[in-house]
Amino acid sequence: MLMHNITEEEKTTTITKLKQINGRVKGISRMIEEGRPEEDILMQISATHESLRLIARAVIKNSLQKSVTQGLTAINKDKREATYKEVMDIIYKYVK
């Protein structure tokens, strides 16, 4: 699945967020090396996880917009059914 409908602004924002997450992960590693309290480490892990979920949500939204636009409006019943299946597969696989 390619991100066809993403704007340059969305792409830049996503890449910036991923770089921030990368920095946060490196910070978590340093915290562990320094023997910081588990509560502080878990707080950073939780924040990192939530940041990744937000990016995943944006990717899923892009995929669903493409699918809905192309598939659910299709005249061909098989194409519509395939689109419903794709949407359900995405939701089942990535939304936990």
Side-chain angles (χ1 to χ4, degrees):
M1 167 178 21
L2 299 175
M3 293 188 60
H4 295 290
N5 299 334
I6 190 168
T7 66
E8 284 302 315
E9 181 181 353
E10 290 169 326
K11 186 185 295 185
T12 300
T13 300
T14 300
I15 291 170
T16 299
K17 287 179 182 178
L18 286 169
K19 288 178 180 179
Q20 291 169 344
I21 290 167
N22 186 38
R24 189 175 284 155
V25 169
K26 289 178 182 179
I28 293 168
S29 180
R30 278 192 306 276
M31 292 173 77
I32 292 170
E33 289 172 354
E34 295 168 358
R36 300 277 296 273
E38 289 85 357
E39 185 176 354
D40 294 347
I41 294 167
L42 290 171
M43 186 182 320
Q44 289 303 314
I45 290 171
S46 178
T48 303
H49 181 256
E50 186 58 28
S51 295
L52 285 169
R53 285 177 43 83
L54 290 173
I55 292 172
R57 182 178 182 197
V59 172
I60 291 169
K61 177 184 173 199
N62 178 70
S63 176
L64 292 177
Q65 284 176 331
K66 180 183 76 105
S67 295
V68 169
T69 300
Q70 293 177 356
L72 299 182
T73 59
I75 295 172
N76 182 314
K77 182 180 177 185
D78 291 337
K79 175 67 175 168
R80 284 195 314 269
E81 291 301 321
T83 300
Y84 284 124
K85 182 183 180 325
E86 179 184 351
V87 168
M88 292 306 298
D89 288 347
I90 289 169
I91 291 169
Y92 181 76
K93 186 172 183 180
Y94 296 107
V95 178
K96 296 179 183 177

